[in-house]
Amino acid sequence: QYGIYSARHPLDFERQLSLLEQLEGTPALNVQTRLERAILLHLNQRHRNADKEFQALRRELRNTGALVTVPPRLRKFVNSSTALPIECEGRVVPSTGYKQMARISQLGDVTVPFEPLEFGEREVPIGRRISCVIDFSFRGPFAHPTKARGSS
């Protein structure tokens, strides 16, 4: 039911999430559908729940080696009415990993990695504000510049 509905109504994120939540506790809620649920939580403004789900998924994927893919309809943080990417603002925060991180206000202040070179710098200073759009992968959200470098 979820798969058919999603194919027919790719931007009805609220109903898609509702259908997945009905699968809770069943074998149908596997790693792949949990990935889709995590993204749908973000698309339905339930960012803290999405962040927790992605943390659990990353652990599970690391331990099991399961393969998952993000469906094309869920690859970007978009407005469900227009299908256009939502322009976000982030503030660069200290990072303990190999990627720089920004706290994204439109994602409920969830911390998201980004590649500084995409923003034209080797390292973006902590505290700087960045304008970005969000893509989703199996690791979670990732920030990219609002406009590609070199474009006007």
mmCIF file with all atom_site columns, all heavy atoms in Angstrom, residues 89-92 103 105 119 124-131:
data_model
loop_
_atom_site.group_PDB
_atom_site.id
_atom_site.type_symbol
_atom_site.label_atom_id
_atom_site.label_alt_id
_atom_site.label_comp_id
_atom_site.label_asym_id
_atom_site.label_entity_id
_atom_site.label_seq_id
_atom_site.pdbx_PDB_ins_code
_atom_site.Cartn_x
_atom_site.Cartn_y
_atom_site.Cartn_z
_atom_site.occupancy
_atom_site.B_iso_or_equiv
_atom_site.pdbx_formal_charge
_atom_site.auth_seq_id
_atom_site.auth_comp_id
_atom_site.auth_asym_id
_atom_site.auth_atom_id
_atom_site.pdbx_PDB_model_num
ATOM 1   N N   . GLU A 1 89  ? 18.923 28.051 6.038  1.00 0.00 ? 89  GLU A N   1
ATOM 2   C CA  . GLU A 1 89  ? 20.043 28.798 6.590  1.00 0.00 ? 89  GLU A CA  1
ATOM 3   C C   . GLU A 1 89  ? 20.642 27.986 7.721  1.00 0.00 ? 89  GLU A C   1
ATOM 4   O O   . GLU A 1 89  ? 19.916 27.414 8.541  1.00 0.00 ? 89  GLU A O   1
ATOM 5   C CB  . GLU A 1 89  ? 19.586 30.151 7.119  1.00 0.00 ? 89  GLU A CB  1
ATOM 6   C CG  . GLU A 1 89  ? 20.755 30.981 7.622  1.00 0.00 ? 89  GLU A CG  1
ATOM 7   C CD  . GLU A 1 89  ? 20.329 32.371 8.039  1.00 0.00 ? 89  GLU A CD  1
ATOM 8   O OE1 . GLU A 1 89  ? 20.136 33.219 7.160  1.00 0.00 ? 89  GLU A OE1 1
ATOM 9   O OE2 . GLU A 1 89  ? 20.219 32.587 9.264  1.00 0.00 ? 89  GLU A OE2 1
ATOM 10  N N   . GLY A 1 90  ? 21.963 27.928 7.710  1.00 0.00 ? 90  GLY A N   1
ATOM 11  C CA  . GLY A 1 90  ? 22.662 27.207 8.763  1.00 0.00 ? 90  GLY A CA  1
ATOM 12  C C   . GLY A 1 90  ? 23.721 28.083 9.394  1.00 0.00 ? 90  GLY A C   1
ATOM 13  O O   . GLY A 1 90  ? 24.139 29.089 8.824  1.00 0.00 ? 90  GLY A O   1
ATOM 14  N N   . ARG A 1 91  ? 24.121 27.691 10.577 1.00 0.00 ? 91  ARG A N   1
ATOM 15  C CA  . ARG A 1 91  ? 25.222 28.358 11.265 1.00 0.00 ? 91  ARG A CA  1
ATOM 16  C C   . ARG A 1 91  ? 26.277 27.298 11.537 1.00 0.00 ? 91  ARG A C   1
ATOM 17  O O   . ARG A 1 91  ? 25.989 26.249 12.113 1.00 0.00 ? 91  ARG A O   1
ATOM 18  C CB  . ARG A 1 91  ? 24.744 28.984 12.573 1.00 0.00 ? 91  ARG A CB  1
ATOM 19  C CG  . ARG A 1 91  ? 25.820 29.843 13.261 1.00 0.00 ? 91  ARG A CG  1
ATOM 20  C CD  . ARG A 1 91  ? 25.287 30.531 14.511 1.00 0.00 ? 91  ARG A CD  1
ATOM 21  N NE  . ARG A 1 91  ? 24.609 29.642 15.434 1.00 0.00 ? 91  ARG A NE  1
ATOM 22  C CZ  . ARG A 1 91  ? 25.216 28.830 16.301 1.00 0.00 ? 91  ARG A CZ  1
ATOM 23  N NH1 . ARG A 1 91  ? 26.518 28.790 16.361 1.00 0.00 ? 91  ARG A NH1 1
ATOM 24  N NH2 . ARG A 1 91  ? 24.512 28.067 17.106 1.00 0.00 ? 91  ARG A NH2 1
ATOM 25  N N   . VAL A 1 92  ? 27.501 27.559 11.091 1.00 0.00 ? 92  VAL A N   1
ATOM 26  C CA  . VAL A 1 92  ? 28.591 26.594 11.237 1.00 0.00 ? 92  VAL A CA  1
ATOM 27  C C   . VAL A 1 92  ? 28.903 26.421 12.724 1.00 0.00 ? 92  VAL A C   1
ATOM 28  O O   . VAL A 1 92  ? 29.018 27.410 13.467 1.00 0.00 ? 92  VAL A O   1
ATOM 29  C CB  . VAL A 1 92  ? 29.833 27.053 10.443 1.00 0.00 ? 92  VAL A CB  1
ATOM 30  C CG1 . VAL A 1 92  ? 30.990 26.076 10.632 1.00 0.00 ? 92  VAL A CG1 1
ATOM 31  C CG2 . VAL A 1 92  ? 29.478 27.206 8.968  1.00 0.00 ? 92  VAL A CG2 1
ATOM 32  N N   . ARG A 1 103 ? 24.304 23.948 11.943 1.00 0.00 ? 103 ARG A N   1
ATOM 33  C CA  . ARG A 1 103 ? 22.996 23.790 12.577 1.00 0.00 ? 103 ARG A CA  1
ATOM 34  C C   . ARG A 1 103 ? 21.987 24.477 11.661 1.00 0.00 ? 103 ARG A C   1
ATOM 35  O O   . ARG A 1 103 ? 22.087 25.681 11.423 1.00 0.00 ? 103 ARG A O   1
ATOM 36  C CB  . ARG A 1 103 ? 23.022 24.418 13.966 1.00 0.00 ? 103 ARG A CB  1
ATOM 37  C CG  . ARG A 1 103 ? 21.853 24.040 14.820 1.00 0.00 ? 103 ARG A CG  1
ATOM 38  C CD  . ARG A 1 103 ? 22.042 24.458 16.268 1.00 0.00 ? 103 ARG A CD  1
ATOM 39  N NE  . ARG A 1 103 ? 23.259 23.964 16.899 1.00 0.00 ? 103 ARG A NE  1
ATOM 40  C CZ  . ARG A 1 103 ? 23.445 22.714 17.359 1.00 0.00 ? 103 ARG A CZ  1
ATOM 41  N NH1 . ARG A 1 103 ? 22.498 21.835 17.246 1.00 0.00 ? 103 ARG A NH1 1
ATOM 42  N NH2 . ARG A 1 103 ? 24.583 22.369 17.927 1.00 0.00 ? 103 ARG A NH2 1
ATOM 43  N N   . SER A 1 105 ? 18.396 25.816 10.699 1.00 0.00 ? 105 SER A N   1
ATOM 44  C CA  . SER A 1 105 ? 17.176 26.261 11.390 1.00 0.00 ? 105 SER A CA  1
ATOM 45  C C   . SER A 1 105 ? 15.925 25.608 10.816 1.00 0.00 ? 105 SER A C   1
ATOM 46  O O   . SER A 1 105 ? 15.020 25.241 11.554 1.00 0.00 ? 105 SER A O   1
ATOM 47  C CB  . SER A 1 105 ? 17.067 27.787 11.361 1.00 0.00 ? 105 SER A CB  1
ATOM 48  O OG  . SER A 1 105 ? 17.111 28.277 10.047 1.00 0.00 ? 105 SER A OG  1
ATOM 49  N N   . PHE A 1 119 ? 31.314 25.461 -0.754 1.00 0.00 ? 119 PHE A N   1
ATOM 50  C CA  . PHE A 1 119 ? 30.996 26.835 -0.375 1.00 0.00 ? 119 PHE A CA  1
ATOM 51  C C   . PHE A 1 119 ? 32.155 27.778 -0.681 1.00 0.00 ? 119 PHE A C   1
ATOM 52  O O   . PHE A 1 119 ? 32.169 28.930 -0.269 1.00 0.00 ? 119 PHE A O   1
ATOM 53  C CB  . PHE A 1 119 ? 30.606 26.899 1.104  1.00 0.00 ? 119 PHE A CB  1
ATOM 54  C CG  . PHE A 1 119 ? 29.289 26.247 1.403  1.00 0.00 ? 119 PHE A CG  1
ATOM 55  C CD1 . PHE A 1 119 ? 29.208 24.878 1.596  1.00 0.00 ? 119 PHE A CD1 1
ATOM 56  C CD2 . PHE A 1 119 ? 28.127 27.000 1.446  1.00 0.00 ? 119 PHE A CD2 1
ATOM 57  C CE1 . PHE A 1 119 ? 27.990 24.264 1.849  1.00 0.00 ? 119 PHE A CE1 1
ATOM 58  C CE2 . PHE A 1 119 ? 26.903 26.397 1.700  1.00 0.00 ? 119 PHE A CE2 1
ATOM 59  C CZ  . PHE A 1 119 ? 26.827 25.024 1.893  1.00 0.00 ? 119 PHE A CZ  1
ATOM 60  N N   . VAL A 1 124 ? 35.176 26.659 6.585  1.00 0.00 ? 124 VAL A N   1
ATOM 61  C CA  . VAL A 1 124 ? 34.257 27.766 6.845  1.00 0.00 ? 124 VAL A CA  1
ATOM 62  C C   . VAL A 1 124 ? 34.350 28.087 8.337  1.00 0.00 ? 124 VAL A C   1
ATOM 63  O O   . VAL A 1 124 ? 34.248 27.186 9.176  1.00 0.00 ? 124 VAL A O   1
ATOM 64  C CB  . VAL A 1 124 ? 32.807 27.403 6.448  1.00 0.00 ? 124 VAL A CB  1
ATOM 65  C CG1 . VAL A 1 124 ? 31.867 28.557 6.726  1.00 0.00 ? 124 VAL A CG1 1
ATOM 66  C CG2 . VAL A 1 124 ? 32.741 27.005 4.966  1.00 0.00 ? 124 VAL A CG2 1
ATOM 67  N N   . PRO A 1 125 ? 34.566 29.353 8.687  1.00 0.00 ? 125 PRO A N   1
ATOM 68  C CA  . PRO A 1 125 ? 34.724 29.720 10.099 1.00 0.00 ? 125 PRO A CA  1
ATOM 69  C C   . PRO A 1 125 ? 33.480 29.376 10.941 1.00 0.00 ? 125 PRO A C   1
ATOM 70  O O   . PRO A 1 125 ? 32.343 29.541 10.488 1.00 0.00 ? 125 PRO A O   1
ATOM 71  C CB  . PRO A 1 125 ? 34.931 31.235 10.057 1.00 0.00 ? 125 PRO A CB  1
ATOM 72  C CG  . PRO A 1 125 ? 35.373 31.533 8.662  1.00 0.00 ? 125 PRO A CG  1
ATOM 73  C CD  . PRO A 1 125 ? 34.725 30.506 7.791  1.00 0.00 ? 125 PRO A CD  1
ATOM 74  N N   . ILE A 1 126 ? 33.730 28.909 12.147 1.00 0.00 ? 126 ILE A N   1
ATOM 75  C CA  . ILE A 1 126 ? 32.646 28.616 13.089 1.00 0.00 ? 126 ILE A CA  1
ATOM 76  C C   . ILE A 1 126 ? 31.866 29.899 13.345 1.00 0.00 ? 126 ILE A C   1
ATOM 77  O O   . ILE A 1 126 ? 32.443 30.970 13.506 1.00 0.00 ? 126 ILE A O   1
ATOM 78  C CB  . ILE A 1 126 ? 33.212 28.017 14.393 1.00 0.00 ? 126 ILE A CB  1
ATOM 79  C CG1 . ILE A 1 126 ? 33.797 26.637 14.085 1.00 0.00 ? 126 ILE A CG1 1
ATOM 80  C CG2 . ILE A 1 126 ? 32.150 27.937 15.486 1.00 0.00 ? 126 ILE A CG2 1
ATOM 81  C CD1 . ILE A 1 126 ? 34.576 26.021 15.215 1.00 0.00 ? 126 ILE A CD1 1
ATOM 82  N N   . GLY A 1 127 ? 30.552 29.770 13.347 1.00 0.00 ? 127 GLY A N   1
ATOM 83  C CA  . GLY A 1 127 ? 29.688 30.922 13.568 1.00 0.00 ? 127 GLY A CA  1
ATOM 84  C C   . GLY A 1 127 ? 29.174 31.557 12.287 1.00 0.00 ? 127 GLY A C   1
ATOM 85  O O   . GLY A 1 127 ? 28.178 32.276 12.318 1.00 0.00 ? 127 GLY A O   1
ATOM 86  N N   . ARG A 1 128 ? 29.830 31.308 11.160 1.00 0.00 ? 128 ARG A N   1
ATOM 87  C CA  . ARG A 1 128 ? 29.377 31.889 9.895  1.00 0.00 ? 128 ARG A CA  1
ATOM 88  C C   . ARG A 1 128 ? 28.039 31.281 9.481  1.00 0.00 ? 128 ARG A C   1
ATOM 89  O O   . ARG A 1 128 ? 27.788 30.113 9.684  1.00 0.00 ? 128 ARG A O   1
ATOM 90  C CB  . ARG A 1 128 ? 30.397 31.665 8.790  1.00 0.00 ? 128 ARG A CB  1
ATOM 91  C CG  . ARG A 1 128 ? 29.824 32.192 7.462  1.00 0.00 ? 128 ARG A CG  1
ATOM 92  C CD  . ARG A 1 128 ? 30.752 32.383 6.343  1.00 0.00 ? 128 ARG A CD  1
ATOM 93  N NE  . ARG A 1 128 ? 31.883 33.206 6.657  1.00 0.00 ? 128 ARG A NE  1
ATOM 94  C CZ  . ARG A 1 128 ? 33.019 33.155 5.972  1.00 0.00 ? 128 ARG A CZ  1
ATOM 95  N NH1 . ARG A 1 128 ? 33.155 32.313 4.977  1.00 0.00 ? 128 ARG A NH1 1
ATOM 96  N NH2 . ARG A 1 128 ? 34.021 33.939 6.293  1.00 0.00 ? 128 ARG A NH2 1
ATOM 97  N N   . ARG A 1 129 ? 27.202 32.115 8.900  1.00 0.00 ? 129 ARG A N   1
ATOM 98  C CA  . ARG A 1 129 ? 25.917 31.647 8.371  1.00 0.00 ? 129 ARG A CA  1
ATOM 99  C C   . ARG A 1 129 ? 26.104 31.218 6.924  1.00 0.00 ? 129 ARG A C   1
ATOM 100 O O   . ARG A 1 129 ? 26.834 31.861 6.176  1.00 0.00 ? 129 ARG A O   1
ATOM 101 C CB  . ARG A 1 129 ? 24.873 32.741 8.468  1.00 0.00 ? 129 ARG A CB  1
ATOM 102 C CG  . ARG A 1 129 ? 24.588 33.122 9.914  1.00 0.00 ? 129 ARG A CG  1
ATOM 103 C CD  . ARG A 1 129 ? 23.181 33.646 10.095 1.00 0.00 ? 129 ARG A CD  1
ATOM 104 N NE  . ARG A 1 129 ? 22.899 33.879 11.494 1.00 0.00 ? 129 ARG A NE  1
ATOM 105 C CZ  . ARG A 1 129 ? 22.443 32.957 12.335 1.00 0.00 ? 129 ARG A CZ  1
ATOM 106 N NH1 . ARG A 1 129 ? 22.239 31.744 11.923 1.00 0.00 ? 129 ARG A NH1 1
ATOM 107 N NH2 . ARG A 1 129 ? 22.188 33.252 13.594 1.00 0.00 ? 129 ARG A NH2 1
ATOM 108 N N   . ILE A 1 130 ? 25.447 30.124 6.571  1.00 0.00 ? 130 ILE A N   1
ATOM 109 C CA  . ILE A 1 130 ? 25.494 29.647 5.189  1.00 0.00 ? 130 ILE A CA  1
ATOM 110 C C   . ILE A 1 130 ? 24.066 29.478 4.675  1.00 0.00 ? 130 ILE A C   1
ATOM 111 O O   . ILE A 1 130 ? 23.163 29.121 5.429  1.00 0.00 ? 130 ILE A O   1
ATOM 112 C CB  . ILE A 1 130 ? 26.268 28.316 5.055  1.00 0.00 ? 130 ILE A CB  1
ATOM 113 C CG1 . ILE A 1 130 ? 25.644 27.205 5.911  1.00 0.00 ? 130 ILE A CG1 1
ATOM 114 C CG2 . ILE A 1 130 ? 27.744 28.507 5.394  1.00 0.00 ? 130 ILE A CG2 1
ATOM 115 C CD1 . ILE A 1 130 ? 26.203 25.819 5.650  1.00 0.00 ? 130 ILE A CD1 1
ATOM 116 N N   . SER A 1 131 ? 23.877 29.770 3.400  1.00 0.00 ? 131 SER A N   1
ATOM 117 C CA  . SER A 1 131 ? 22.603 29.497 2.725  1.00 0.00 ? 131 SER A CA  1
ATOM 118 C C   . SER A 1 131 ? 22.768 28.169 2.009  1.00 0.00 ? 131 SER A C   1
ATOM 119 O O   . SER A 1 131 ? 23.777 27.938 1.335  1.00 0.00 ? 131 SER A O   1
ATOM 120 C CB  . SER A 1 131 ? 22.280 30.591 1.711  1.00 0.00 ? 131 SER A CB  1
ATOM 121 O OG  . SER A 1 131 ? 22.037 31.799 2.381  1.00 0.00 ? 131 SER A OG  1
#
